[in-house]
Amino acid sequence: MGSARVEAAVAMLRRRGARVTEARRGVLDALDEAGGHLSADDLAALLGRSAPHRATVYRTLESLVQAGVVAHVHLPHGATTYHLVDAGDRTHLHLACRGCGTVLDARPDLLDPVAAELRGTVGFELDPAHVALTGWCESCR
Amino acid sequence: MGSARVEAAVAMLRRRGARVTEARRGVLDALDEAGGHLSADDLAALLGRSAPHRATVYRTLESLVQAGVVAHVHLPHGATTYHLVDAGDRTHLHLACRGCGTVLDARPDLLDPVAAELRGTVGFELDPAHVALTGWCESCR
DNA sequence: GTGTTTGCAAATGTTTTGCAGTGTC
DNA sequence: GACACTGCAAAACATTTGCAAACAC
């Protein structure tokens, strides 16, 4: 058990001096297996009987974000979602469908020209992966 | 009292068969005077003594959005904000600073190239004004 | 053993809903 | 006079916090 991605995340936790607990392993495994974007609620449901207390899920996720192994994305409706970060890679962007709620991934550099323009014109440093772009997916249009 | 923008909004409400109540006028006036982005809480605070009940503020805002005279923007932290829509014009985009929370406005067509690309590649129809882009403003960087 | 992490309970902040009364058209 | 709209109370939902017990190191 424990995919390469989870092992890498665990190693990073150790390197950081953070403790590797059952709750953290469980959350990492769930995020890895789901392969996508999960809310705290999704995580608890997925882990079922062995899920940590809800408050712990939130604290665990925050620790994992702090350690840089997990990233979170704010969606316009519903809860914040979390996903594993691929070490080395830039984090992909997110497209949330206002119809069905699906979250699609997009190229990390999709907003690079926009970021450059904002930096130059208004001095705003864009953090493009932190919030999902919204719209309508192919089937909901 | 009642600026041209508010009058236009009121006219639109009438045209739609919606009723023009004190609560709706008050909310429209506050949004107009503030000139910017207000949350339901901001609105209640601004209207003070004459503010409608909080539940009514939300229902009022929803009606105004439905009527197309107000638009709302989701921010990553804190509450949804609302602003008047300029009839005819495309709605401006929003940049939220993760440091100080300020919301800046950006050109409506800033994301047009991105929207075109997404439409062509993944069939996703971007709705760029519905969610604020996040990052760091000049002073918070 | 020490200090981080967890569970529990309770609170916070935002938004929604049911229902009966009020006011606009 | 209808029916949309409002106020009130209460619930729903996502998330946070204080504190004492539990566990990783």
Side-chain angles (χ1 to χ4, degrees):
Chain A
M1 53 184 338
S3 73
R5 304 178 81 197
V6 171
E7 287 318 314
V10 166
M12 172 64 97
L13 283 177
R14 288 228 157 80
R15 212 172 309 141
R16 288 260 190 158
R19 293 183 179 170
V20 179
T21 65
E22 212 174 302
R24 291 180 181 177
R25 272 195 182 282
V27 167
L28 287 172
D29 280 336
L31 288 176
D32 181 47
E33 276 162 36
H37 309 86
L38 299 179
S39 66
D41 216 58
D42 295 336
L43 274 167
L46 222 117
L47 292 170
R49 202 99 235 29
S50 65
H53 191 268
R54 192 59 52 95
T56 301
V57 172
Y58 283 106
R59 281 188 284 222
T60 297
L61 287 168
E62 202 200 323
S63 307
L64 297 176
V65 169
Q66 223 82 75
V69 298
V70 163
H72 66 270
V73 185
H74 296 283
L75 303 181
H77 295 289
T80 303
T81 62
Y82 298 80
H83 60 94
L84 288 183
V85 168
D86 299 303
D89 292 2
R90 289 180 65 187
T91 302
H92 56 267
L93 308 188
H94 308 85
L95 309 173
C97 176
R98 296 181 67 177
C100 59
T102 308
V103 180
L104 300 169
D105 294 345
R107 302 180 1 237
D109 58 346
L110 181 69
L111 291 183
D112 282 359
V114 173
E117 175 174 342
L118 289 176
R119 197 179 299 121
T121 55
V122 268
F124 188 87
E125 188 61 40
L126 192 64
D127 179 8
H130 188 233
V131 178
L133 298 171
T134 52
W136 308 90
C137 74
E138 192 141 36
S139 35
C140 286
R141 263 151 77 173
Chain B
M1 58 189 332
S3 74
R5 304 178 82 198
V6 172
E7 288 317 314
V10 166
M12 172 62 97
L13 283 178
R14 288 229 157 79
R15 213 172 310 140
R16 287 260 191 160
R19 293 181 181 172
V20 179
T21 65
E22 212 174 302
R24 292 183 180 174
R25 271 195 182 281
V27 167
L28 287 171
D29 279 336
L31 288 176
D32 181 47
E33 276 162 37
H37 309 88
L38 299 178
S39 65
D41 217 57
D42 296 335
L43 275 167
L46 223 118
L47 291 171
R49 202 95 238 34
S50 65
H53 190 269
R54 193 59 52 93
T56 302
V57 172
Y58 283 105
R59 280 187 285 222
T60 297
L61 286 168
E62 203 200 321
S63 307
L64 297 176
V65 169
Q66 224 81 75
V69 298
V70 164
H72 66 270
V73 185
H74 296 282
L75 302 181
H77 296 288
T80 304
T81 63
Y82 298 80
H83 61 94
L84 288 183
V85 168
D86 298 303
D89 291 1
R90 288 181 64 185
T91 303
H92 56 267
L93 307 190
H94 307 86
L95 308 173
C97 176
R98 295 180 67 177
C100 59
T102 309
V103 179
L104 301 169
D105 293 346
R107 301 178 4 234
D109 58 346
L110 181 70
L111 292 183
D112 282 1
V114 174
E117 174 175 342
L118 290 176
R119 198 180 298 121
T121 56
V122 268
F124 188 88
E125 187 63 40
L126 192 64
D127 179 8
H130 188 235
V131 179
L133 297 171
T134 52
W136 308 90
C137 74
E138 192 141 36
S139 35
C140 286
R141 266 152 76 173

